[in-house]
Amino acid sequence: GRAETTLRELVLQRGCRAVLAVPLVSKETVFGTISIYWDHVRANAERETRLLTAFASQAAVAIENARLYESARNRIREMEAMLDVAGILGSTLDLSSLLKRIAQKTAQLCRVERCTVELFGGDGRVVPLMSQFANGHVDRELWEKFRNAEPYRANEIPAYARMIESKAPVLIPDATATDLIPREWVEVFGLKSYLLVPMIRKDRVVGALGMDYHTEAKGFTPEQVSMATTIASQVALAVENVRLLDAERSQAKRVEALREIAVEITGTLDLERLLRLIISRAVDLVEAHSGTVYLLDESGQNLVPKAWWNLGEWMKEIVHRLGEGATGQAALAKQGVIVNDYLHWPHRRID
């Protein structure tokens, strides 16, 4: 190998005849050596050995101090970075704005070229939320490809499956020579090196931060991975808090809407007008495009349309028997029925 060739050059071509090696020791632990070479034989090197050993003891202390200093500097940098991130996380409750700023800041702090934020849905599908370049560069075409990418489940991608199972980062130094991520990603987004970091909440992986180089392949240092892991946990908490707040706001709006509707409909005694008002407000309440109010006829077996919204007069002909279709089943079961794919629902009305 190359190391053997270089050593041979040292011994033969440069005339190395004698070698003195002494250990670098810190707290009774060897962490390196100092090796000295002569171009002539040393008949009695005991003096040099004692001198170099004494020097190595001092050198070991200096190296250890420098390492501790560098470690302290790294911790300070990480703390400063966390303060920057915390400042962003506490600056806004708008999720889109929050993620845009945090993705760019994360890319800068971790010294990568791009950062992507993704969440995992309840069915395991990956939901792309945000992707930003460290330098703020905007590529609208690439953004559209990111947002409209073919949906996939996390466990379908080897890198994601490994990350979820281990709850640890997955490093891909050369994205062009791996089967851990789809080849299409490498080609479309120009991935050269890729780092996938889990976002964990309550011991569950809820999403991921993806960081990459797209100009050239580079390895990721332990400091980069550590920084990214720390940020990922903060982002996971922030996203959860914003979503909970949004849910509470939405619930509060719904409650207020129900109160207003209740006041409105209880003030109406004309039945025909009341039914039209009820269906229009019901459609608005759940942000639907149309709807119908059915009432049971005198036989108690048929549900007859009495008022509808955003539908034609043909609706008056659509009568449901009790237990027929979603409408009939809801009345029969005395509870709500939701059908997300009515066309392929086996109990649908086919007339």
Side-chain angles (χ1 to χ4, degrees), residues 197-223:
V197 182
M199 291 166 51
I200 301 175
R201 283 295 296 149
K202 299 176 182 177
D203 203 39
R204 186 171 67 89
V205 179
V206 298
L209 292 184
M211 293 176 222
D212 70 88
Y213 294 107
H214 60 87
T215 55
E216 62 177 320
K218 294 182 180 179
F220 297 97
T221 67
E223 290 75 20

Side-chain angles (χ1 to χ4, degrees), residues 18-260:
V19 177
L20 171 60
V22 297
L24 290 166
V25 183
S26 175
K27 299 176 182 178
E28 299 184 358
T29 299
V30 176
F31 66 87
T33 66
I34 295 178
S35 297
I36 301 296
Y37 313 104
W38 287 281
D39 58 2
H40 56 277
V41 174
R42 304 294 293 176
N44 186 355
E46 291 181 5
R47 176 177 173 275
E48 287 87 346
T49 302
R50 287 195 302 272
L51 280 173
L52 193 60
T53 298
F55 175 76
S57 296
Q58 298 300 316
V61 172
I63 292 172
E64 185 67 15
N65 288 340
R67 283 180 164 181
L68 290 173
Y69 176 70
E70 183 64 26
S71 177
R73 284 181 58 191
N74 288 337
R75 285 197 297 272
I76 291 172
R77 282 197 294 265
E78 188 166 318
M79 290 175 62
E80 291 174 342
M82 288 304 99
L83 289 174
D84 286 344
V85 171
I88 294 174
L89 295 178
S91 66
T92 179
L93 294 175
D94 177 68
L95 186 58
S96 178
S97 175
L98 174 72
L99 291 176
K100 183 176 182 179
R101 292 179 61 191
I102 206 67
Q104 184 176 359
K105 191 64 176 180
T106 299
Q108 294 169 351
L109 291 173
C110 294
R111 304 190 307 279
V112 296
E113 293 175 334
R114 179 169 48 195
C115 176
T116 296
V117 184
E118 299 169 315
L119 286 185
F120 300 159
D123 60 354
R125 289 188 181 275
V126 178
V127 182
L129 294 182
M130 183 58 62
S131 186
Q132 289 289 305
F133 290 103
N135 61 7
H137 169 67
V138 176
D139 188 325
R140 300 194 184 282
E141 182 179 354
L142 209 57
W143 170 247
E144 288 303 317
K145 290 179 180 178
F146 170 73
R147 291 182 59 195
N148 300 316
E150 188 72 22
Y152 61 93
R153 285 183 169 82
N155 58 12
E156 296 173 348
I157 309 298
Y160 284 75
R162 179 183 296 182
M163 178 194 68
I164 293 170
E165 182 179 2
S166 65
K167 295 179 182 175
V170 175
L171 287 72
I172 305 175
D174 186 356
T176 64
T178 183
D179 57 1
L180 291 176
I181 55 177
R183 175 61 49 184
E184 181 184 0
W185 293 6
V186 176
E187 296 172 352
V188 173
F189 301 110
L191 302 180
K192 296 295 190 298
S193 299
Y194 194 62
L195 170 63
L196 193 63
V197 182
M199 291 166 51
I200 301 175
R201 283 295 296 149
K202 299 176 182 177
D203 203 39
R204 186 171 67 89
V205 179
V206 298
L209 292 184
M211 293 176 222
D212 70 88
Y213 294 107
H214 60 87
T215 55
E216 62 177 320
K218 294 182 180 179
F220 297 97
T221 67
E223 290 75 20
Q224 286 175 297
V225 176
S226 175
M227 179 78 71
T229 301
T230 303
I231 293 175
S233 65
Q234 297 297 316
V235 175
L237 176 60
V239 170
E240 180 182 54
N241 288 342
V242 171
R243 285 191 153 188
L244 287 174
L245 182 60
D246 285 345
E248 289 178 3
R249 286 173 171 171
S250 297
Q251 180 64 18
K253 288 180 180 179
R254 292 190 185 100
V255 170
E256 179 60 20
L258 283 173
R259 188 194 68 77
E260 293 176 355

